Amino acid sequence: MSVRLLDRLSGKVVCADKAGVAVMGRYLIDSPAGSSIFLNDIAAGPMTYLVPDSDGRFALLETSGARAKGQFAGGQSPDGLEASSIRKGGRIVEEALNRQTPWAEWLDLSPLVPEMSKRVEMLALESLLERRLGHLGEVCRRPRAHLRVEVERLPVARAQRFHARAASFLAAHTEDWERPTLRSVVPKRILSLVRDDQLDIYENRIAVRLVDHLLAYLRRRIREVKQLLVLFEEARDAGAYVRSARALTSGNTGSTACGRQLRRRAQRGRAARRTLDQLRHLERGVAGLMGSPLYRQISPRGRVSTTLRMTNILANDAHYRRVAEMWLAWAREGQDRPPTPAERFESAQDLCRGFGRYCLLLVVRALAQLDLEPADIAAPVQGDAEMTLRCDGLETAIRVQADSRSGAITLRPKRGKAVRIVPIAGSLATMDGAARRRFFEEADAAVETDTEVVVLYPAPLGETRAASPDRDGRSRLHALPHEISSLRRRRAGFLPVSPWEIGSVERVARLVRWVILAPLLLAYPPRVPVSRRLSEELEGTSWLQVEGGECLVRRAPTGEEWDALGLERREREAATRVKTLEQHRSKIAAERREQRRDGGAIGDLHRQKKQLHAEIDEAERARDELGVFRESMESARALLAALLRCPTCRRCADGRQDFRPAS
C-alpha cells in the first residue's frame, strides 16, 4: 500500500513508489478524505507539496498504514537570495488574489524583486555599523582582559614580586637554594606572584564572533546589491532600446513617460553603486579586524549564544557598550540562523506556492504585453476562474485558466493546441545531470496529442544566457516545444524565470506569442473551398488564386478590392431570388388548389410547381454556397489583417506595398 501523489506535469494521480524524479514542486500529496498524513514527521494538510528534509530525502506515512520513502534529485535547491525573492513576490500575488484585484491593477504589480528600491539603500544595520565600527576596532586592538594572579616557583632573575610566604617556603625547600651563607641563603628559585592578562573572556568572544557575523552579512548584502545593479543596468539598456525603437517608428524622440522611466532607472543605478561602494568599504574595515591581536588570541571554536548576556563591561564600558548595540542589531536584522525542521518544511511549501503565484503574474503581464485583455478590465483575476482575452486588430481569442488544485496555468487559443504551463520550484539548471535527463523524458511523456507542456523553473543567479548543448540536455532548458519537437515525437518546453531576470516577462510573452501567432502563420495562405461557378468569376483577381477547387487568399484586400468582390451583394441577390421563387411557388400552389376545387385541369400547374421546386433547391444551394464562402473569406481576411500588424510596434502594414506573399 502506497501514498498517492498528484503529478503536476501530467495532471494524473500516481503511487509514490512508482513516481518519477522527485523535483521540488512537481508532486502534491493526494491524501484521501478522513485520513491524516505525515511528511518528514510533520503533519501535512491536503494538497501539500512533496518537499525534502535537510538530507534531501522524504518520508510519507498515512494513518491508514500506507508509507513511502524516496530521495530528491541533488543540486536543485534555489539560491537563498532567489528563494527569498520568490517567496516575497508570491505573497504579494496571493494578497492580490485574496483581494480580487481587477485585471487593470494586476499590471501595476512588478515581476521583479519586491522592494528592490529599498534594498539598494543602506539598511538600518549597515548605517549603525558605519557609525559604530570604530568602537569594534578599538575593542579588537585594545581589549579588556581578566587579571589572573598565580603563584609559581621562578628563577630569581625572572621574579618580579615575591609571595608573602616566600621566606618560609624557601627555608623548607633546600633544593631551591643556590648556596648558604653565614647569615642567610642565596636563593636559586623563589615563590613569586605571576600576573596573567586573560583575553578569552565572554565580552571579547562577543566582539570576535561579531566580526565573523558582520563579515558574512556584508558579503551577502554585497552580492544582493551587485545583482540589483545588474538588474537596473539591464532595465536601463532595455528602456533605452525601447525608447529609440519608438522614436524611429513614431518620430517622437522626446517621450515624456520613457524619459521619466529612464531617469528613475538611472537614479536607482546610481544609488546601487553608492551603496555597493559603502558596503565594500565596510567589508574591508571588518575584514581588517581579523588581523587584530584580539582576533588572533580567541579560538574560532569559542562559540557564543545569539542571545546576549549583558555584563558590567558590556553595559558600562564606552566601547563594549557599542559592540553590544551592534550585536543586538545583527541578531534582530542580519543573522542567518539554520532553520528548524518545521521552519524548513514551511519555507519549502511557501517557495512552491510562491513560485506558482509568481508565474501566474508573469503570464498576466505577458498577455497584457501582447495587448490581450478581457472585455471588462475591471473584472477580478481569480485563481480558478477561466478568462477569455481578446486583442483589437488581432483575429484571435485565448482562454486562460489557473487550476487552484494543481497550480498549472492553461492557455487555450482560438486556433491551435492548448498549452499547460507548469511552475516547478526546483532549479533544473543546477540539478544533477542524470536526474535532469530522466526528468526531461518524463516531461515529454506527459505531452498529450492536443496539449503542449511548458515547464517554468527558477533561473539561477548569474546564469549564462547562451546555453550550449551537452549530454545533460542543457540546451533544452531555454527551448519551447516547437523548437525541439519533431514529427515523430512531441516534447515539453522549458523556460527559466526569476525576479532577478529583467527578461522573464519577455520569455513568457514569447511563449504566449507562439501559442497565438503560430497557428495564424501556419494557416497562411488561407484556403477557401469554392464552387466552379464562383471560381470562374474570381479568375483574374489580383489578391486571390484559384486552383483545384480552392481559393488561396494571397494577401489582405483593400476596402475597394473587397467591395469589388461584392459577396454581400451577391448573397443578398441570391436570398432575394430564393424568396421570389418561393413566392411564385406559393402562387402556383394556390392556383392549383382552386383548379382542383373547380374541377379544372391541373397538369400544367403541377409541372410548373415541380420545376419551381428544382429551381428553388438550386437557388438555395447557390445562396448557401455564397454564405459559406463569404464567412470563410471574412475569416481569411481577418487572419491576413492580423498578419499585417507588427507584434512589436503595433503598426499595421500596407497590404499591397509592405506584404510580400511567399512563393
Side-chain angles (χ1 to χ4, degrees):
M1 193 174 186
S2 179
V3 182
R4 298 189 306 171
L5 301 175
L6 174 63
D7 188 356
R8 298 174 62 235
L9 274 179
S10 62
K12 300 177 181 179
V13 177
V14 298
C15 293
D17 54 0
K18 297 182 180 179
V21 179
V23 180
M24 188 179 298
R26 176 181 179 179
Y27 291 106
L28 286 164
I29 301 174
D30 186 32
S31 57
S35 176
S36 299
I37 193 166
F38 292 86
L39 171 59
N40 303 332
D41 297 329
I42 298 174
M47 305 311 295
T48 300
Y49 284 94
L50 185 68
V51 296
D53 59 11
S54 58
D55 296 327
R57 302 177 181 274
F58 69 88
L60 290 164
L61 175 63
E62 278 187 7
T63 53
S64 60
R67 62 180 64 210
K69 292 183 179 180
Q71 176 77 42
F72 271 76
Q76 62 173 290
S77 297
D79 181 85
L81 193 58
E82 170 110 12
S84 175
S85 303
I86 291 173
R87 294 188 193 97
K88 291 179 182 178
R91 283 192 287 269
I92 293 174
V93 177
E94 185 71 29
E95 292 173 2
L97 287 172
N98 295 335
R99 292 195 310 267
Q100 295 190 346
T101 303
W103 172 272
E105 296 183 17
W106 270 70
L107 306 184
D108 296 330
L109 299 178
S110 174
L112 299 178
V113 182
E115 302 177 347
M116 59 182 178
S117 297
K118 296 181 181 179
R119 299 297 294 178
V120 297
E121 300 292 341
M122 291 290 285
L123 303 182
L125 174 59
E126 295 146 18
S127 300
L128 176 66
L129 184 57
E130 273 191 317
R131 300 193 304 270
R132 307 301 190 206
L133 183 58
H135 296 280
L136 181 59
E138 187 66 21
V139 168
C140 289
R141 285 187 291 269
R142 297 180 181 85
R144 295 187 62 165
H146 175 70
L147 182 60
R148 182 176 61 185
V149 180
E150 296 181 351
V151 180
E152 293 185 13
R153 296 161 62 191
L154 295 177
V156 175
R158 292 178 53 194
Q160 296 181 357
R161 188 174 181 181
F162 300 153
H163 192 270
R165 296 180 53 249
S168 60
F169 186 86
L170 183 61
H173 293 77
T174 57
E175 68 272 12
D176 291 338
W177 295 0
E178 180 69 31
R179 66 180 184 277
T181 63
L182 293 175
R183 294 185 177 183
S184 63
V185 296
V186 177
K188 180 172 59 175
R189 289 184 295 271
I190 195 167
L191 199 63
S192 306
L193 297 176
V194 179
R195 300 177 58 180
D196 183 18
D197 291 336
Q198 184 180 5
L199 293 177
D200 193 5
I201 61 176
Y202 175 73
E203 293 82 357
N204 290 338
R205 288 198 298 270
I206 287 290
V208 170
R209 295 289 79 82
L210 182 61
V211 171
D212 296 335
H213 296 325
L214 290 179
L215 197 58
Y217 168 79
L218 288 172
R219 286 170 178 169
R220 290 200 308 270
R221 278 287 289 151
I222 287 173
R223 182 167 175 262
E224 179 184 13
V225 176
K226 285 173 65 177
Q227 290 292 336
L228 286 171
L229 180 58
V230 172
L231 189 62
F232 291 145
E233 290 177 347
E234 289 180 352
R236 181 199 60 196
D237 297 340
Y241 175 78
V242 171
R243 187 186 185 190
S244 62
R246 289 177 178 174
L248 290 173
T249 55
S250 64
N252 179 15
T253 59
S255 174
T256 305
C258 286
R260 284 197 300 267
Q261 290 180 0
L262 289 176
R263 284 193 294 272
R264 283 198 298 268
R265 289 165 182 162
Q267 291 171 358
R268 288 186 291 189
R270 287 193 295 270
R273 292 189 189 92
R274 183 173 59 252
T275 301
L276 187 59
D277 292 339
Q278 291 174 292
L279 291 174
R280 284 172 172 167
H281 178 72
L282 288 175
E283 182 199 18
R284 288 193 295 269
V286 175
L289 298 179
M290 299 178 71
S292 63
L294 178 61
Y295 193 92
R296 292 197 300 267
Q297 289 291 328
I298 302 298
S299 171
R301 294 190 294 271
R303 302 297 178 184
V304 292
S305 173
T306 304
T307 304
L308 187 65
R309 174 168 52 87
M310 294 301 294
T311 63
N312 288 335
I313 296 178
L314 292 176
N316 299 317
D317 187 276
H319 299 300
Y320 281 88
R321 185 166 64 247
R322 302 307 182 189
V323 171
E325 183 182 358
M326 287 187 285
W327 180 279
L328 293 174
W330 166 81
R332 184 173 55 253
E333 302 174 15
Q335 71 166 323
D336 187 17
R337 61 181 182 84
T340 64
E343 290 173 341
R344 183 182 296 105
F345 176 82
E346 290 299 330
S347 177
Q349 295 293 324
D350 195 16
L351 174 64
C352 295
R353 289 191 297 265
F355 187 69
R357 296 308 186 192
Y358 169 72
C359 291
L360 176 61
L361 174 61
L362 291 180
V363 171
V364 171
R365 292 292 298 263
L367 291 167
Q369 192 178 88
L370 299 177
D371 290 345
L372 287 159
E373 59 183 23
D376 181 13
I377 61 174
V381 177
Q382 299 178 356
D384 207 13
E386 186 176 79
M387 301 186 69
T388 300
L389 310 178
R390 290 182 172 82
C391 174
D392 295 336
L394 191 62
E395 197 271 325
T396 188
I398 188 168
R399 291 179 294 161
V400 184
Q401 184 176 18
D403 188 355
S404 61
R405 182 169 181 261
S406 67
I409 305 167
T410 305
L411 306 179
R412 294 185 176 88
K414 182 178 180 180
R415 300 172 181 265
K417 295 182 178 181
V419 176
R420 289 181 69 248
I421 301 175
V422 184
I424 297 293
S427 180
L428 302 181
T430 57
M431 194 167 69
D432 176 69
R436 182 167 57 230
R437 289 195 300 272
R438 294 198 305 271
F439 181 74
F440 287 159
E441 295 174 357
E442 293 167 4
D444 294 340
V447 178
E448 300 176 355
T449 305
D450 57 345
T451 304
E452 302 283 2
V453 174
V454 177
V455 176
L456 302 185
Y457 66 93
L461 296 181
E463 180 189 14
T464 303
R465 302 297 191 275
S468 57
D470 63 355
R471 294 181 179 180
D472 296 338
R474 194 175 295 274
S475 59
R476 294 197 57 183
L477 293 174
H478 299 76
L480 293 178
H482 70 282
E483 298 170 338
I484 50 179
S485 296
S486 61
L487 294 176
R488 296 180 179 180
R489 185 178 182 185
R490 306 299 301 171
R491 296 181 182 270
F494 296 87
L495 283 181
V497 295
S498 170
W500 295 90
E501 291 279 350
I502 190 68
S504 294
V505 175
E506 281 68 21
R507 290 175 183 174
V508 180
R510 181 168 70 95
L511 164 62
V512 177
R513 186 179 290 113
W514 166 66
V515 172
I516 296 173
L517 295 183
L520 299 180
L521 296 172
L522 293 175
Y524 178 85
R527 296 176 177 269
V528 180
V530 61
S531 63
R532 180 178 299 177
R533 183 192 309 109
L534 282 174
S535 63
E536 295 174 355
E537 298 177 4
L538 296 176
E539 289 289 347
T541 306
S542 61
W543 53 282
L544 296 175
Q545 179 181 343
V546 180
E547 57 179 37
E550 288 183 331
C551 178
L552 277 65
V553 186
R554 306 292 292 176
R555 64 170 175 83
T558 63
E560 293 81 3
E561 290 173 335
W562 179 262
D563 294 338
L565 200 60
L567 294 180
E568 293 86 352
R569 175 182 54 80
R570 294 183 184 188
E571 189 176 5
R572 287 195 303 270
E573 291 175 354
T576 301
R577 173 172 172 73
V578 171
K579 187 175 181 180
T580 301
L581 291 174
E582 287 178 344
Q583 291 175 351
H584 192 194
R585 184 179 61 181
S586 298
K587 182 178 179 181
I588 295 296
E591 292 179 1
R592 184 167 173 265
R593 285 194 297 271
E594 290 178 1
Q595 289 287 350
R596 178 177 292 176
R597 186 172 55 250
D598 297 339
I602 60 173
D604 186 49
L605 294 175
H606 182 74
R607 284 191 299 273
Q608 293 182 29
K609 182 179 179 182
K610 186 176 180 181
Q611 183 179 358
L612 282 173
H613 273 305
E615 293 179 2
I616 289 173
D617 290 342
E618 180 65 22
E620 286 179 343
R621 280 195 298 271
R623 180 198 61 188
D624 294 342
E625 285 178 1
L626 280 169
V628 172
F629 183 72
R630 179 187 58 80
E631 291 177 358
S632 301
M633 288 295 293
E634 287 179 348
S635 177
R637 182 190 182 192
L639 185 146
L640 289 169
L643 294 180
L644 292 177
R645 189 182 190 206
C646 176
T648 302
C649 67
R650 305 292 188 258
R651 295 181 62 184
C652 288
D654 189 323
R656 289 177 298 182
Q657 298 180 1
D658 302 329
F659 191 84
R660 296 290 182 268
S663 58

